[in-house]
Amino acid sequence: MTRGRSDGTPKKRLITTICVVAIFLGFLYAYYGSIFGNQDRGASTLQHGSKSLSHYLLGSEDSEESSTTTVQEDPEDGIVPKSYPVCDDRHSELIPCLDRHLIYQMRLKLDLSLMEHYERHCPPPERRFNCLIPPPAGYKVPIKWPKSRDEVWKANIPHTHLAHEKSDQNWMVVKGEKIVFPGGGTHFHYGADKYIASIANMLNFSNDKMNDEGRLRTVLDVGCGVASFGGYLLSSNIIAMSLAPNDVHQNQIQFALERGIPAYLGVLGTKRLPYPSRSFELAHCSRCRIDWLQRDGILLLELDRVLRPGGYFAYSSPEAYAQDEEDLRIWREMSALVGRMCWRIAAKRNQTVIWQKPLTNDCYMQREPGTRPPLCRSTDDPDAVWGVLMEACITPYSDHDHKAKGSGLAPWPARLTSPPPRLQDFGYSSEMFEKDTETWQRRVESYWNLLSPKIESDTIRNVMDMKAHMGSFAAALKDKDVWVMNVVQEDEPNTLKLIYDRGLIGTTNNWCEAFSTYPRTYDLLHAWTVFSDIEKKECSAEDLLLEMDRILRPTGFIIIRDKQSVIDMIKKHLSALHWETVATANSSSDSELESDEVVLIIQKKLWLTSESVRDSE
């Protein structure tokens, strides 16, 4: 056949062309066929058929830039992506640094007996999923707090095995389109509220109130299940960090966060918990399936590190009451261990024992030489936590804390605005602390004024401050019905202990890596100069944008406070991420802004993949 020669008719050529175009458009529709649209609360995110394919591909009318599948050359910044691929639906619950598939693929040599496979193992850059995490089929706007404490949409977390596995313990019950939480647990089948009151009664707290007139504020619940214990503490002005791994009881933490209860994915394994020393007034374990005797009691010693002077450990387990030979052996060995740690029994009743940590170093100094566990080295920093291995040693108090005979904290809520005793560790004055508190009070008021057209009193529940410093952003939200996960970056001054001293909670993270949480778990992210910080580390801003999208709920908000060049960069990615601008402010319109600062408030749109659409129908 000669080059250029036609062996068919024009009609045949036209039909072929039409078929090719139709196949191409069909591919585009299948790959990018998610549909944007607003919806009423509780309704499905999908408004099927409300927009044409061409409207979807070009973006909604109120988006700043059109969303296409092409890339465009920017004369100043080079190539800027105008769309991100959507991850496979199998990754709708991806937690990049806690991904067991990654562990298997990379053939990491981990000791399963030490729970290393539940600790953080982040993917190298070449193994990252540079795509948008899709919601599950039929995803709905989460039920609002406080109703969410007791029920969530089943479609949002389509896992019901715990309802069957724990059916005799009232963890959760499936009722139609919802999963209901009666408030039960492994050791409190008849409700967390009654169990909490019994613990308060054992400790002789006034009126059986767990908060002990504001003296007990922060709690660590280890092996928390679906976090009903922490959920029922909130009404007593107690905030619990509910902690569990993504183990055989999968999705525990996902359920907790969907309910609007503070929670974090973590494990007592080989590395320290991501909390500074003396963070919690109470640690709690109700049938948490932890071998506290292993490795010379190293896990109990980790609890000792994070407990305040005079703090309590409430332990509900067969070892505390059962009379069979094995339980008695464990009880005897555990009693001997905590005795050498200088803990004393504060109360013991029925199925629960409560130990108390000493207020001073006196007991430690009176132990016989060579007693194990030993005291930690004086050079050991008890507040260093990022990737730091646990040690089987007791963390003694500093000379100052030994003399103070306690934490020196005001009762809640006064401690929120009282200068924390550990300010001096950073060379901060009380005046600096008070000024920081006042500054963020004004800034938060300004944020809420900008958000007011889009939110109601119950719109926002789970909040993250990605660069918390002293926690003043969270403190300014005290009168809102929200809780805040305060994040201190691992390479900055460890001000997390000031945050805990204020009666708030938080953790440590490196924003060059993913955060330890499920997708779609926060309603509001606050990023104050976080992008400027990662620029200095030469991390990818796009990776951080994708991570923020992963952990943000559909219809959730992001407040970015940064320099103009950062804001300009982020605006170029809005339509690609299916985000839209809610408001902007600069120093000319907001006196609280520094001359080089700009505030950009963004809302995440609602969308489903075409595969999810088919599954929902």
Side-chain angles (χ1 to χ4, degrees):
M1 185 183 296
T2 308
R3 183 184 297 273
R5 181 178 171 181
S6 173
D7 62 346
T9 65
K11 182 178 179 180
K12 183 178 179 180
R13 209 182 297 124
L14 176 61
I15 291 172
T16 302
T17 302
I18 290 171
C19 289
V20 169
V21 170
I23 291 169
F24 178 70
L25 287 175
F27 170 77
L28 287 180
Y29 181 79
Y31 195 76
Y32 295 102
S34 52
I35 301 174
F36 300 122
N38 294 321
Q39 67 172 123
D40 294 332
R41 275 193 258 167
S44 168
T45 60
L46 176 66
Q47 291 189 351
H48 189 51
S50 61
K51 298 187 188 301
S52 68
L53 174 63
S54 60
H55 185 103
Y56 168 68
L57 290 175
L58 294 174
S60 60
E61 293 173 0
D62 56 358
S63 65
E64 294 200 349
E65 299 174 305
S66 64
S67 177
T68 71
T69 59
T70 62
V71 296
Q72 143 180 329
E73 187 76 24
D74 186 283
E76 296 180 0
D77 299 73
I79 295 175
V80 177
K82 293 302 174 189
S83 71
Y84 289 105
V86 176
C87 298
D88 188 287
D89 282 6
R90 291 172 298 173
H91 302 305
S92 68
E93 292 172 353
L94 177 69
I95 311 165
C97 294
L98 296 171
D99 181 7
R100 283 198 289 278
H101 296 294
L102 175 73
I103 291 172
Y104 301 145
Q105 290 167 7
M106 297 184 69
R107 299 181 181 178
L108 299 179
K109 295 180 179 179
L110 304 175
D111 190 330
L112 304 190
S113 69
L114 301 184
M115 303 296 178
E116 285 186 302
H117 54 308
Y118 294 136
E119 295 182 323
R120 285 174 62 88
H121 302 283
C122 297
E126 66 273 12
R127 284 184 174 267
R128 289 178 179 171
F129 288 83
N130 295 312
C131 49
L132 299 174
I133 303 294
Y139 182 87
K140 300 182 179 184
V141 174
I143 295 169
K144 304 303 181 184
W145 181 267
K147 195 176 179 182
S148 64
R149 187 195 72 172
D150 302 324
E151 61 180 34
V152 301
W153 294 114
K154 183 174 66 174
N156 291 9
I157 309 178
H159 302 282
T160 59
H161 57 285
L162 277 178
H164 305 295
E165 183 180 341
K166 302 290 183 179
S167 59
D168 62 329
Q169 298 172 13
N170 285 322
W171 279 32
M172 48 189 271
V173 179
V174 178
K175 289 189 177 180
E177 293 187 338
K178 294 178 179 177
I179 294 174
V180 176
F181 302 89
T186 306
H187 248 74
F188 43 92
H189 305 177
Y190 301 106
D193 50 349
K194 297 179 180 64
Y195 175 66
I196 289 166
S198 72
I199 292 176
N201 180 265
M202 290 173 67
L203 292 171
N204 294 317
F205 290 166
S206 62
N207 300 316
D208 293 345
K209 298 293 185 184
M210 191 73 165
N211 64 2
D212 191 24
E213 299 180 338
R215 287 183 285 270
L216 195 153
R217 165 65 181 171
T218 52
V219 169
L220 176 65
D221 187 17
V222 181
C224 62
V226 293
S228 289
F229 182 74
Y232 279 80
L233 284 172
L234 289 164
S235 60
S236 299
N237 282 322
I238 295 172
I239 190 163
M241 179 68 81
S242 296
L243 182 80
N246 183 15
D247 60 7
V248 292
H249 293 156
Q250 294 175 29
N251 309 97
Q252 300 169 95
I253 295 301
Q254 191 177 17
F255 279 119
L257 291 165
E258 183 74 10
R259 296 173 71 185
I261 299 171
Y264 184 79
L265 271 166
V267 67
L268 280 163
T270 65
K271 296 175 183 176
R272 284 179 172 177
L273 296 175
Y275 317 119
S277 66
R278 298 157 44 206
S279 292
F280 301 98
E281 273 96 27
L282 172 78
H284 172 255
C285 159
S286 172
R287 288 295 292 270
C288 54
R289 303 191 309 155
I290 292 174
D291 176 8
W292 296 108
L293 295 174
Q294 64 175 281
R295 293 177 282 160
D296 300 317
I298 194 169
L299 305 184
L300 267 181
L301 290 160
E302 175 63 1
L303 285 192
D304 184 84
R305 182 185 69 84
V306 300
L307 279 176
R308 298 198 194 281
Y312 301 100
F313 177 42
Y315 183 57
S316 295
S317 186
E319 295 84 34
Y321 67 91
Q323 296 300 306
D324 63 84
E325 185 176 336
E326 179 61 13
D327 287 326
L328 286 171
R329 180 193 67 79
I330 294 172
W331 173 252
R332 286 192 294 267
E333 291 187 25
M334 232 178 135
S335 296
L337 172 60
V338 298
R340 296 194 302 273
M341 291 167 56
C342 292
W343 289 9
R344 70 173 186 88
I345 291 181
K348 188 174 186 290
R349 184 191 301 166
N350 300 329
Q351 301 179 357
T352 302
V353 60
I354 304 174
W355 285 290
Q356 186 174 25
K357 181 180 175 179
L359 287 168
T360 69
N361 289 331
D362 289 343
C363 176
Y364 305 144
M365 299 298 106
Q366 293 166 6
R367 298 188 314 162
E368 292 292 328
T371 300
R372 301 190 68 82
L375 297 182
C376 298
R377 300 180 302 272
S378 58
T379 54
D380 180 65
D381 179 2
D383 301 321
V385 296
W386 188 253
V388 176
L389 293 174
M390 293 180 194
E391 289 191 50
C393 59
I394 299 170
T395 305
Y397 303 122
S398 66
D399 290 341
H400 173 272
D401 297 329
H402 170 70
K403 292 174 184 176
K405 297 184 178 181
S407 298
L409 298 174
W412 179 266
R415 73 172 62 173
L416 183 66
T417 51
S418 300
R422 292 191 271 189
L423 271 177
Q424 58 187 358
D425 293 359
F426 303 91
Y428 297 158
S429 66
S430 296
E431 291 74 18
M432 291 169 64
F433 171 81
E434 289 163 0
K435 182 178 179 182
D436 189 71
T437 300
E438 292 168 2
T439 296
W440 281 104
Q441 183 68 46
R442 292 193 301 270
R443 289 176 175 178
V444 168
E445 287 175 4
S446 176
Y447 291 159
W448 247 248
N449 287 335
L450 292 170
L451 279 166
S452 59
K454 286 278 188 176
I455 64 171
E456 297 177 11
S457 59
D458 64 353
T459 302
I460 294 170
R461 173 62 185 168
N462 301 350
V463 179
M464 178 187 287
D465 190 3
M466 298 173 67
K467 184 181 178 180
H469 190 41
M470 288 191 277
S472 293
F473 170 83
L477 292 170
K478 175 183 177 293
D479 295 328
K480 312 289 184 187
D481 208 358
V482 305
W483 67 272
V484 183
M485 179 68 78
N486 293 280
V487 181
V488 172
Q489 300 183 73
E490 54 86 21
D491 60 345
E492 293 190 343
N494 192 4
T495 52
L496 197 55
K497 55 187 175 182
L498 303 182
I499 289 165
Y500 276 93
D501 282 357
R502 300 184 76 169
L504 304 168
I505 61 169
T507 188
T508 304
N509 197 57
N510 177 351
W511 285 117
C512 294
E513 299 176 1
F515 190 77
S516 294
T517 194
Y518 282 88
R520 303 173 299 280
T521 49
Y522 285 90
D523 298 299
L524 173 66
L525 308 177
H526 177 241
W528 170 46
T529 68
V530 175
F531 284 91
S532 290
D533 293 338
I534 66 165
E535 272 183 5
K536 298 169 188 172
K537 301 176 189 177
E538 298 182 352
C539 301
S540 166
E542 287 190 28
D543 285 348
L544 181 56
L545 288 169
L546 287 167
E547 172 63 5
M548 293 168 75
D549 183 81
R550 185 185 72 87
I551 65 180
L552 187 66
R553 285 173 167 175
T555 74
F557 299 89
I558 302 174
I559 302 173
I560 297 173
R561 188 185 193 96
D562 217 311
K563 58 189 179 182
Q564 183 68 59
S565 59
V566 166
I567 301 300
D568 291 342
M569 177 276 295
I570 291 170
K571 283 185 174 181
K572 293 177 181 177
H573 294 266
L574 291 182
S575 65
L577 293 161
H578 312 319
W579 296 354
E580 61 185 359
T581 298
V582 170
T584 57
N586 54 39
S587 56
S588 63
S589 59
D590 188 339
S591 59
E592 277 303 312
L593 287 163
E594 303 293 335
S595 59
D596 61 341
E597 281 185 336
V598 180
V599 168
L600 174 65
I601 299 182
I602 297 161
Q603 185 173 26
K604 179 178 176 177
K605 294 180 181 180
L606 303 164
W607 56 275
L608 290 175
T609 65
S610 56
E611 186 173 338
S612 295
V613 171
R614 289 193 296 273
D615 291 343
S616 302
E617 292 176 328

